[in-house]
Amino acid sequence: MASSSSPRNNNEHDVFLSFRGEDTRDNFTSHLYSALCQKSIATFIDNDLKRGDEISQSLLDTIEASSISIVIFSKRHASSGWCLDELLKILECKHKYGQIVIPVFYRVDPSHVRKRIGSFGDSISKLEERFPDKMQRWRSALTEVANLSGFNSHVIRPESKLIEEIVSEVLERLDDTFETENKLVGVDSRIEEILSLLGVGLTMDTCKLGIWGIGGVGKTAIAGAFFSKISRRFEGSYFAHNVREAEETGKLADLRKELLSTLLNDGNMNKFPNIGLNFQSKRLTRKKVLIVFDDVNHPRQIEFLIGNLDWFASGSRILITARDKQALINCGVNKIYQIKELVHVDALKLFNQCAFGRDHPDASYIELTHEAIKYAQGVPIALKILGRFLFRKRKEVWENAISKLEMVPQMEIQEVLKISYDGLDDKEKNIFLDIACFLVGEDRDIVTKYLNACEFFATSGIEVLVDKSLITISEYNKIRMHDLMRNMGREIVRQESINDPSKRSRLWHHKEIYEVLTENMGTEEIEGICLDMSKVEEIHLYSDTFTKMRKLRFLKFYNSSINGENKLPHSNIQQLGDGGQHHCKLSQIITAARNFVTKTPNPSFIRSLNKLTILNLSGCSQLKRLPAEILSAGNMEEMILNGTAIEELPSSIECLSRLLHLGLRDCKRLKSLPKGLCKLKSLKFLILNGCGITQLPENLGQLFSLEEFCLRKTKFEKIPTNVIHLSRLHSFCLSYCERLQSLPKLPCNLKELDADHCAALESLSDLFSISYDYYIRCFELSTNYKLDRNELRSILEDALQKIQDMACTTRWKQLYENLEKISYPERRGYVYVPGNEIPKWFRFQSVGSLITLKVPSPPADNWFSNGKVIGFAFSAIVSFPDHHDVKKLGLCELVCEIKVKSEDCNPQVILRYVVVVRNLESDHLLMGYYFFDDHDFNAFRENTCVLEAVQFYYKMYDDASECLECYPVKKCGIHLFSAPDSTEDPSEIFKCEKEEEPQHPSKRLKYS
C-alpha cells in the first residue's frame, strides 16, 4: 500500500516496463510496448541488451520519473539481479511517491513468485552465493509485488486479449492520476460531470455533448483538460481550436485537412487537399474517435469540417463548445452542459495565483483582492487578466485600477465578451443595451411588452440573448445579467460619445444625467434615462427639458435608499409637458414615484403618449386625479396607481379595452369604482389592497377574464353574489377584511382562497363545492374565530372528501399518466382552519412532530417504487405564539420530511414539502396533500426505498439553516393513498408506532 507521501507531478513517462529481456523482449513485451504507444501512452523500454550487475543511475531516475511501473514476471525473471534491483526501486517509488505498480505473470504462476518455488524459486536461489546481503530484500519485494492485483497469462487468453486488458487498465489508472498541465482551478469536478454525461467507456452510439457558457468562463480550458485526460482511450483524437476564427480568416479548409489527416493517420490528406469527405466517410466509420470542436457559432462549420457527426464508430465522442445554445442545438448535440462561473473559493485561488504567484494574497492586499474578485464575478478570463495586470504592482496602483473599473471596463476583458454582442442583429443589440443600462432585475414579461412596443421584437430577441449567454432568466422570471456583461454593454454606449453624455443613446450615471438635465443639454440622440434620485440632492428642470429629446422612450426616476422601491423625494416637477407642439416619443413606459407628479399632468402632453402600454405612478402621494384624456391610450395594458391620492377613476376607463392589470393598492381616498370598470373584458389582475372602497360594483361578475382579485385590508362587509360568474378566477385574497361577515358561493375554478384574519367572518357558502375539475391549492382560513363550529366541521369534512376524491378518481389516474402537463400547484395543496385535533380519517397519528412506521418484513412489495402508493395526505396542529422573529416577519415555514429506508438499511430524507405558515398565536389545524411525481418515483426506485417515518418541523422563512426547535409541532397525522387500480390499502400494510398521549391536551375546538 502506498504511503501518504505526495506523488511526483513532473513525471516524464507514463509507464516503465520492467522485464527479463531474454524471456520476453522480442515477443510479449514488444507487443505490449507497441500497444501502449498506439494509445499515446509515454512508455519507457530499456533496449540496452548488455546489462551488468549494477543498475545504472539513469535507469533509476527513469523509474522514479514514471507514473506506472509494469513488472512482467517470467520463468527466469528472478535469475537477474538487475531485474530484482529494478523491483526494489519500483517499490521504493511506490512507497515514497505513490507510484502505481501493475504485475503481469507471463507463463508463470503468481503463487510461485509469491512463495519463490518451482523453477522461479530455483532461479533466485542461484543468486544467493553472489548477493547474500540482498536476498532478504529481494524475497520481500517479490512477495509484496506478487500480492498486488495484476494479470495472469494462464487466465486471460489469447495474448492479444491480455495486452488489450493491460492497456485498458493503464488508461484507467492514468485517468485517476490525471492532473491538468497548468493546475487549472475548479476543473476536476466539471471533468467528472462531463465524463458522466458522455458515458465515456460505455459501448454506446456516438454521443455529442455541447459545452455552453459566456465568453471567458473556461469552456476551452475545460474541454482541453478533458481531451488531455481521455484522448488516449480512442483510436483517433483531435482538438479543433477556434473554429469560428478559422472561418472568419478563411482557414477552415486548412483545419479540415489537419483534422482528417490526424484522425485517419494519413499524411496524404495534405498532398491531396481536394479529397472530399464522402471518400473518407467509410474510413471514419471504422474508427472510434474523440473530437473537440472549439468555439463554434454555426452548424455549417461542423458540416464543412466533418460532414455527419454520426459517421464515426460506436463509442465515439464529440464535444462542441459554443457561446450560443441554439448553435449547439442546431449542430445536433445530444446533451448540453452549461459552464458556470467559479465559486468564490476557486475564484480566490485562481486570482491569487495570477496576482501573487501563490494560492494566498499578501495580508495588506486582502481587501483589494476581494474587490477584484467581486468585479470578476467568477469569470476565469477576467480573474486572470486582472491578476496578471496587477502582478507585482504597488498598492496605490491596485486601488486606482479597481476604482477605474467602476467607470471603464478593462479593455482586454471587454474584447473577449464583446464577441457575443457582435453576433447580434440591430434589434437584438438594442434589447441588450436597454437591459444592460436600465432593465436588469425587471420582470421578463413587462420588459418584453416594453421592448415589443419599441418594435424590437423582444419575444424572440430575449430568447437569442439567453441562448448566447448574454442574459439569464431567474426562477422568478426576472432578467439577470452578469456584471461583466452589464459593464460591457454600458461601455458600448459610453463609446458613442466619450466626452459628451448628451450625445449618447442611454444615460444611467447620476452625475451625467444631472449635468444633462440641469444644463438643459437634452438632444434627440437620447432614448432613455434612468436616474437614482438618492444620489442627487436637488434637481431643477427647465419646462422644455424633455422637449428636445424627440427619441426618448424610457424615463425612470427612483430612490434606491427607500427600501429598494421606486420613490422620488421632494421633486419640484409639477407637471408633465409644457403644452408645446413638439413632444418626445416617451410612449412605452412612465415609471415615476412619490411626489414626481404633484399636480394633474398636462393633458396636451398626455395625448401625445399614443403608444403608452404601461403607466406606473406608484407612490405619487399628491396625485389626486387622472385626466380623462390619459385613458384614450387604447394600447395601455398596465395602470399602476399604488399609494396615490386618487379620489376617483374617470368613467372613460372602460375605453381601455386591452387593460390587463389595474393596481390601486393603498389608494386610501378612493371610495368607489366606476361602473364602466366591469366592461374591461381583458382585465386579469385587479389589486385593491388597502384602498378606501367600501362597496364593489354589482356587475362585478362581468369581468370574465379576471384571474387574480385582491381585497386585502379593505372595509367591505359583503362580496357581490355574482362573483360566482368569474369563471377564470383562480386566486382570491380577502386577508384582514375585518368587516367581512360572510362569503357567497365562489367561482368554480378557484384554487387559492386567502381569507385569514377576517375577524367578523361567520359563515361560508359551500366552500368545497368549487373546484370540481381542479385541485385545491391553498385555502387559508386561519384566526377566524367567529366561524361557527358546525361550519368548521363542514369545511373539514368537505376538504377531506375533496382530497380523497382526487386520489381515487380515474381523472387523477389520467392526469398522472400525463404528469408532465400538470402544473406545480395541482400535485399539492393545503387548508388552514382554527382547531387542535387531528381528524380520525388520518390512519397514522402521533403526539409530537414524528410519525414512525413499522416496516413489514419482508418489505411491502416495494409499494413506493412500483407506484402502488401515489401520495399522501398530512395534518399537523401548529402555533408559535411567542417567537419574536416570527412575529416580526409574520411568516415561517413548516417542513414535512419524508424519511425512507433503502435496501442497505441506510435512512435518508427523500422528499421535503414546505408550507409557508403565518404567525399563529393559537392552535390551528393544517391539512394538506402531496401526490408523487416521476422524480419522486425514480428516487424510490433508485434506492429501493420503503417509507419509515414522517417528521414535521418549523424553520425561519427563507432561511434553511435556522430551525425553530423550541416550537415543535404538537400533533401530526398522515394518510397514504393507493393507486386507483390497486386492490390493497397501504394503511393496512404499514403499522404506526404509538406515542404517549399528552398530559394536558387543549379542549378549545375538536373535530373528528
Side-chain angles (χ1 to χ4, degrees), residues 915-948:
V915 179
V916 177
V917 182
R918 299 186 189 278
N919 179 14
L920 303 172
E921 296 185 357
S922 60
D923 289 351
H924 276 70
L925 170 64
L926 166 66
M927 194 166 62
Y929 64 88
Y930 181 93
F931 291 122
F932 301 132
D933 63 4
D934 283 341
H935 175 79
D936 301 322
F937 283 122
N938 288 337
F940 290 139
R941 293 187 191 102
E942 288 175 7
N943 299 283
T944 318
C945 295
V946 293
L947 182 64
E948 183 181 44

Coordinates of all heavy atoms in Angstrom, one line a residue, residues 915-948:
V915 N -44.5 24.3 3.6 CA -45.7 25.1 3.6 C -45.4 26.4 4.3 O -44.9 26.3 5.5 CB -46.9 24.4 4.3 CG1 -48.1 25.3 4.3 CG2 -47.2 23.1 3.6
V916 N -45.7 27.5 3.7 CA -45.5 28.8 4.4 C -46.6 29.0 5.4 O -47.8 28.9 5.1 CB -45.5 30.0 3.4 CG1 -45.3 31.3 4.2 CG2 -44.3 29.8 2.4
V917 N -46.2 29.3 6.7 CA -47.2 29.4 7.8 C -47.1 30.8 8.3 O -46.1 31.4 8.5 CB -46.8 28.4 8.9 CG1 -47.8 28.5 10.0 CG2 -46.7 27.0 8.4
R918 N -48.3 31.4 8.6 CA -48.4 32.8 9.1 C -48.2 32.7 10.6 O -48.2 31.7 11.2 CB -49.7 33.4 8.8 CG -50.0 33.6 7.3 CD -51.2 34.3 7.0 NE -51.6 34.3 5.6 CZ -51.0 35.1 4.7 NH1 -50.1 36.0 5.1 NH2 -51.4 35.0 3.4
N919 N -48.1 33.9 11.2 CA -47.9 34.0 12.7 C -49.2 33.6 13.4 O -50.2 34.3 13.4 CB -47.6 35.4 13.1 CG -47.4 35.6 14.5 OD1 -47.3 34.6 15.3 ND2 -47.4 36.8 15.0
L920 N -49.3 32.4 13.9 CA -50.5 31.8 14.5 C -50.3 31.8 16.0 O -49.4 31.1 16.5 CB -50.7 30.4 14.0 CG -50.9 30.3 12.5 CD1 -51.0 28.8 12.1 CD2 -52.1 31.0 12.0
E921 N -51.1 32.6 16.7 CA -50.9 32.7 18.2 C -51.6 31.7 18.9 O -51.4 31.5 20.1 CB -51.4 34.1 18.6 CG -50.5 35.2 18.0 CD -50.9 36.6 18.6 OE1 -51.8 36.7 19.4 OE2 -50.2 37.6 18.3
S922 N -52.5 30.9 18.3 CA -53.3 29.9 18.9 C -53.3 28.6 18.0 O -52.9 28.7 16.8 CB -54.7 30.3 19.2 OG -55.4 30.6 18.0
D923 N -53.7 27.5 18.5 CA -53.7 26.3 17.8 C -54.5 26.3 16.5 O -55.6 26.8 16.5 CB -54.2 25.1 18.6 CG -53.2 24.8 19.7 OD1 -52.1 25.3 19.7 OD2 -53.6 24.0 20.6
H924 N -53.9 25.8 15.4 CA -54.6 25.7 14.1 C -54.3 24.3 13.5 O -53.3 23.7 13.7 CB -54.1 26.8 13.1 CG -54.8 28.1 13.3 ND1 -54.6 28.9 14.4 CD2 -55.8 28.7 12.5 CE1 -55.4 30.0 14.3 NE2 -56.1 29.9 13.2
L925 N -55.3 23.8 12.7 CA -55.1 22.6 12.0 C -54.7 22.9 10.6 O -55.4 23.6 9.9 CB -56.4 21.8 12.0 CG -56.5 20.6 11.1 CD1 -55.5 19.5 11.6 CD2 -57.9 20.0 11.1
L926 N -53.5 22.4 10.2 CA -53.1 22.4 8.8 C -53.3 21.1 8.2 O -52.9 20.0 8.8 CB -51.6 22.7 8.8 CG -50.9 22.5 7.4 CD1 -51.4 23.5 6.4 CD2 -49.4 22.7 7.6
M927 N -54.0 21.0 7.1 CA -54.3 19.8 6.5 C -54.0 19.9 5.0 O -54.4 20.9 4.3 CB -55.8 19.5 6.7 CG -56.2 18.1 6.3 SD -57.9 17.8 7.0 CE -58.8 18.9 6.1
G928 N -53.2 19.0 4.4 CA -52.8 19.1 3.0 C -52.6 17.7 2.4 O -52.8 16.7 3.0
Y929 N -52.1 17.8 1.1 CA -51.8 16.5 0.4 C -50.6 16.7 -0.5 O -50.3 17.9 -0.8 CB -53.1 16.2 -0.4 CG -53.4 17.2 -1.5 CD1 -52.9 17.1 -2.8 CD2 -54.3 18.2 -1.3 CE1 -53.1 18.0 -3.8 CE2 -54.6 19.1 -2.2 CZ -54.0 19.0 -3.5 OH -54.3 20.0 -4.4
Y930 N -50.1 15.6 -1.0 CA -49.0 15.6 -1.9 C -49.0 14.4 -2.7 O -49.1 13.3 -2.2 CB -47.6 15.7 -1.2 CG -46.4 15.8 -2.1 CD1 -45.9 17.0 -2.5 CD2 -45.8 14.7 -2.6 CE1 -44.8 17.1 -3.3 CE2 -44.8 14.7 -3.5 CZ -44.3 15.9 -3.8 OH -43.2 16.0 -4.7
F931 N -49.1 14.5 -4.1 CA -49.0 13.4 -5.0 C -47.6 13.3 -5.6 O -47.1 14.3 -6.0 CB -50.1 13.5 -6.1 CG -51.5 13.4 -5.6 CD1 -52.4 14.4 -5.8 CD2 -51.9 12.2 -4.9 CE1 -53.7 14.3 -5.3 CE2 -53.2 12.1 -4.4 CZ -54.1 13.2 -4.7
F932 N -47.1 12.1 -5.5 CA -45.7 11.9 -6.1 C -45.7 12.1 -7.6 O -46.6 11.8 -8.3 CB -45.2 10.4 -5.8 CG -45.2 10.1 -4.3 CD1 -45.7 8.9 -3.8 CD2 -44.6 10.9 -3.4 CE1 -45.7 8.6 -2.5 CE2 -44.6 10.6 -2.0 CZ -45.2 9.4 -1.6
D933 N -44.5 12.6 -8.0 CA -44.3 12.7 -9.5 C -43.2 11.8 -9.9 O -42.7 10.9 -9.2 CB -43.9 14.2 -9.8 CG -42.6 14.6 -9.2 OD1 -41.9 13.8 -8.5 OD2 -42.3 15.8 -9.3
D934 N -42.8 11.9 -11.2 CA -41.8 11.0 -11.7 C -40.5 11.1 -11.0 O -39.8 10.1 -10.7 CB -41.5 11.3 -13.2 CG -42.6 10.8 -14.1 OD1 -43.3 9.9 -13.6 OD2 -42.7 11.2 -15.3
H935 N -40.1 12.3 -10.6 CA -38.8 12.5 -9.8 C -38.9 11.7 -8.5 O -37.9 11.0 -8.1 CB -38.6 13.9 -9.5 CG -37.4 14.2 -8.7 ND1 -36.2 14.2 -9.1 CD2 -37.4 14.5 -7.3 CE1 -35.3 14.5 -8.1 NE2 -36.0 14.7 -7.0
D936 N -40.0 11.7 -7.8 CA -40.1 11.0 -6.6 C -40.1 9.5 -6.8 O -39.3 8.8 -6.1 CB -41.5 11.4 -5.9 CG -41.6 12.9 -5.6 OD1 -40.6 13.5 -5.2 OD2 -42.7 13.4 -5.8
F937 N -40.8 9.0 -7.8 CA -40.8 7.6 -8.0 C -39.5 7.1 -8.4 O -39.0 6.0 -8.0 CB -41.9 7.2 -9.1 CG -43.3 7.2 -8.6 CD1 -44.2 8.1 -9.2 CD2 -43.7 6.4 -7.6 CE1 -45.5 8.1 -8.7 CE2 -45.0 6.4 -7.1 CZ -45.9 7.3 -7.7
N938 N -38.7 7.9 -9.2 CA -37.4 7.5 -9.6 C -36.5 7.4 -8.4 O -35.6 6.5 -8.3 CB -36.8 8.5 -10.6 CG -37.5 8.4 -12.0 OD1 -38.0 7.3 -12.3 ND2 -37.4 9.5 -12.8
A939 N -36.6 8.3 -7.5 CA -35.8 8.3 -6.3 C -36.1 7.0 -5.5 O -35.2 6.4 -4.9 CB -36.1 9.5 -5.4
F940 N -37.4 6.6 -5.4 CA -37.8 5.4 -4.7 C -37.1 4.2 -5.4 O -36.6 3.3 -4.7 CB -39.3 5.3 -4.7 CG -40.0 6.2 -3.8 CD1 -41.2 6.8 -4.2 CD2 -39.5 6.6 -2.5 CE1 -41.9 7.7 -3.4 CE2 -40.1 7.5 -1.7 CZ -41.3 8.1 -2.2
R941 N -37.2 4.2 -6.7 CA -36.7 3.0 -7.5 C -35.2 2.9 -7.3 O -34.7 1.8 -7.1 CB -37.1 3.1 -8.9 CG -38.6 3.0 -9.2 CD -38.8 3.0 -10.7 NE -40.3 3.1 -11.0 CZ -40.8 4.2 -11.4 NH1 -40.1 5.3 -11.6 NH2 -42.1 4.3 -11.7
E942 N -34.5 4.0 -7.4 CA -33.0 4.0 -7.3 C -32.5 3.5 -6.0 O -31.5 2.8 -5.9 CB -32.5 5.4 -7.5 CG -32.6 5.9 -9.0 CD -32.1 7.4 -9.1 OE1 -31.6 7.9 -8.1 OE2 -32.3 7.9 -10.2
N943 N -33.3 3.7 -5.0 CA -32.8 3.3 -3.6 C -33.6 2.1 -3.1 O -33.4 1.7 -2.0 CB -33.0 4.5 -2.7 CG -32.1 5.7 -3.1 OD1 -30.9 5.7 -2.9 ND2 -32.7 6.7 -3.7
T944 N -34.6 1.6 -3.9 CA -35.5 0.5 -3.4 C -35.9 0.8 -2.0 O -35.7 0.1 -1.0 CB -34.7 -0.8 -3.5 OG1 -34.0 -0.9 -4.7 CG2 -35.7 -2.0 -3.4
C945 N -36.7 2.0 -1.9 CA -37.0 2.5 -0.6 C -38.4 2.1 -0.1 O -39.3 1.8 -0.9 CB -37.0 4.0 -0.6 SG -35.3 4.7 -0.9
V946 N -38.5 2.0 1.2 CA -39.8 1.9 1.9 C -39.9 3.1 2.9 O -38.9 3.5 3.4 CB -40.0 0.6 2.5 CG1 -40.1 -0.5 1.5 CG2 -38.9 0.3 3.6
L947 N -41.1 3.6 3.1 CA -41.4 4.6 4.0 C -41.1 4.2 5.4 O -41.5 3.1 5.8 CB -42.8 5.1 3.8 CG -43.2 6.3 4.7 CD1 -42.4 7.6 4.3 CD2 -44.7 6.6 4.5
E948 N -40.3 5.0 6.1 CA -40.0 4.7 7.5 C -40.6 5.7 8.5 O -41.1 5.3 9.6 CB -38.5 4.7 7.7 CG -38.1 4.3 9.1 CD -36.5 4.3 9.2 OE1 -35.9 5.2 8.8 OE2 -36.0 3.3 9.8

